[in-house]
Amino acid sequence: MSHFTSIKVQFKNKEILKSILVAQGHEVLENTYVRGYGGNRVRADLVVRRSNGYDIGFRQRGDSLEMIADFWGTGVTAEAFLAPIRQAYTREQLLATAVEKGFTVESESVDEKGQIRIVLGRWA
């Protein structure tokens, strides 16, 4: 019996997601299988290989990605795993869009609550 759960996430850029996962210290494989309970496996575009044998994967579904894992054995909840990834992804996506539109980063800071503040500028 499969315990895999799919969760739609708001990530659209697979390359940005991969770079964030690697930067956060995860071993990331491409186009392979997510391992779960009892040897069950499901294919994913990006797979975060975990030492306990219960991986977390991301696969393309339409214009966005979905996360897939057997969370019964991962040792982490989906929300706990995604929280730092969401913040880093949002930052990277914002910066990529800003550069594309001709903006430069004037300043960037992180407050005591961990919130990121970015000031952008552009010559008119």
Side-chain angles (χ1 to χ4, degrees), residues 60-116:
Q60 195 73 47
R61 288 293 182 247
D63 66 345
S64 64
L65 296 163
E66 72 178 1
M67 182 171 64
I68 185 162
D70 180 348
F71 283 102
W72 290 31
T74 60
V76 65
T77 65
E79 187 55 40
F81 182 77
L82 282 175
I85 296 166
R86 272 192 191 113
Q87 184 180 41
Y89 183 91
T90 301
R91 178 189 174 276
E92 291 301 317
Q93 189 65 48
L94 170 77
L95 292 176
T97 302
V99 167
E100 182 181 296
K101 305 245 183 221
F103 287 89
T104 58
V105 176
E106 300 291 329
S107 67
E108 183 175 349
S109 61
V110 180
D111 69 15
E112 63 279 349
K113 294 180 183 176
Q115 295 177 338
I116 300 171

Side-chain angles (χ1 to χ4, degrees), residues 28-70:
V28 180
L29 304 173
E30 292 189 63
N31 300 315
T32 191
Y33 290 94
V34 178
R35 302 171 301 170
Y37 176 77
N40 289 322
R41 303 180 320 155
V42 64
R43 186 167 273 299
D45 298 313
L46 297 175
V47 175
V48 175
R49 187 65 81 206
R50 298 181 50 89
S51 61
N52 66 0
Y54 287 80
D55 304 323
I56 299 172
F58 294 89
R59 61 186 178 189
Q60 195 73 47
R61 288 293 182 247
D63 66 345
S64 64
L65 296 163
E66 72 178 1
M67 182 171 64
I68 185 162
D70 180 348

